[in-house]
Amino acid sequence: MTATLELEDLTTGYATGWHRVCAVDELELSWGEAALIAGRQVALFRTAPGEVFAVAQEDPATGAFVMARGILGSRGTRATIASPLHKEVYDLETGECFGNAELRLDTFATRIADGYVEISL
């Protein structure tokens, strides 16, 4: 399933603060979705019923907006996403790249409030 989620209240620019994105049930487990949040492309990953990660949609190695199509995995207890282009693997929580210390994926705090995913930019 490929879809781009829409915000309930879309603002222009990169507004800071918490943004309501979608109902948590709209995100499939172990599948990425792209969302435009306050003018920024973000990739969302629901890895467990009550756990959602948010990272920049832009691949740090290429600049392509593809991270929602990445491959979810793990390194020990750390949830990871592999870029669909060059397979660089990033920690979903910290953005650290395991194969290239010069690369870093932007990450964003998430929370679930009243059944909705909220992201802090």
Side-chain angles (χ1 to χ4, degrees):
M1 170 185 240
T2 302
T4 300
L5 302 174
E6 295 181 29
L7 280 176
E8 293 179 355
D9 296 309
L10 182 63
T11 60
T12 58
Y14 291 129
T16 59
W18 287 99
H19 301 271
R20 182 173 279 190
V21 180
C22 64
V24 69
D25 292 339
E26 290 181 31
L27 298 176
E28 291 185 51
L29 283 173
S30 303
W31 191 259
E33 294 289 351
L36 184 61
I37 303 169
R40 180 144 195 193
Q41 290 188 42
V42 175
L44 304 170
F45 303 95
R46 185 177 177 201
T47 56
E51 183 175 61
V52 176
F53 289 95
V55 300
Q57 172 71 333
E58 185 176 5
D59 181 334
T62 66
F65 291 87
V66 297
M67 293 308 291
R69 296 297 141 243
I71 302 164
L72 289 173
S74 63
R75 294 273 173 107
T77 60
R78 297 166 74 176
T80 62
I81 183 69
S83 167
L85 298 178
H86 294 286
K87 308 302 184 233
E88 291 286 355
V89 178
Y90 300 89
D91 184 303
L92 277 172
E93 190 170 344
T94 67
E96 171 191 0
C97 180
F98 291 100
N100 183 341
E102 294 178 13
L103 297 176
R104 178 165 292 281
L105 182 63
D106 287 343
T107 61
F108 307 100
T110 63
R111 66 185 180 194
I112 298 173
D114 297 323
Y116 287 88
V117 175
E118 295 182 347
I119 297 175
S120 178
L121 295 183

